Amino acid sequence: MKTKLEQLKTEFFSLIGTVTDRDHLERLQGEFLGRKGKLNDVMKEMATLAVEERKLVGQLANEVKQALEAAFGSQEQKINQSEVLGQAQQEWIDI
């Protein structure tokens, strides 16, 4: 279970770096963090674990989720900035 979470985190970070537009970012968010996303699937499997192991895996799952959300937020800010900059360049007028 821990390896699945680590693989999920690694996969997300390798994909988030390639995202350059808002649509792709939203698809990626849904794929990993959505209701039917990969992270949610892994968290559903936690119900089969023993209580002690569930605590440890749950803690790791929360850390992974927070890391994914932080990376998503960071990439979203970068995309917003590039969109604003691109719009400003298009609207630029030389007087």
Side-chain angles (χ1 to χ4, degrees):
M1 184 71 62
K2 292 178 183 179
T3 57
K4 284 184 180 181
L5 287 168
E6 291 298 330
Q7 288 173 347
L8 184 75
K9 184 178 177 182
T10 304
E11 181 183 357
F12 182 81
F13 280 110
S14 68
L15 292 174
I16 194 90
T18 64
V19 174
T20 57
D21 66 345
R22 186 172 306 282
D23 291 335
H24 189 201
L25 185 65
E26 289 175 3
R27 282 194 308 267
L28 192 64
Q29 181 188 23
E31 181 181 340
F32 284 88
L33 297 170
R35 289 182 63 192
K36 295 182 181 181
K38 293 179 180 182
L39 182 61
N40 199 23
D41 289 343
V42 173
M43 292 179 93
K44 285 179 184 176
E45 293 177 20
M46 286 177 27
T48 63
L49 299 175
V51 176
E52 288 300 315
E53 191 175 2
R54 191 179 316 151
K55 287 180 184 179
L56 296 174
V57 172
Q59 206 171 25
L60 178 61
N62 287 334
E63 290 172 6
V64 168
K65 183 176 181 179
Q66 289 173 352
L68 297 184
E69 288 173 343
F72 173 79
S74 174
Q75 190 68 20
E76 186 176 34
Q77 284 181 342
K78 288 178 186 176
I79 290 173
N80 286 341
Q81 288 175 350
S82 68
E83 286 177 352
V84 168
L85 186 62
Q87 186 177 8
Q89 287 177 349
Q90 287 178 350
E91 295 175 357
W92 182 79
I93 299 173
D94 188 19
I95 299 180

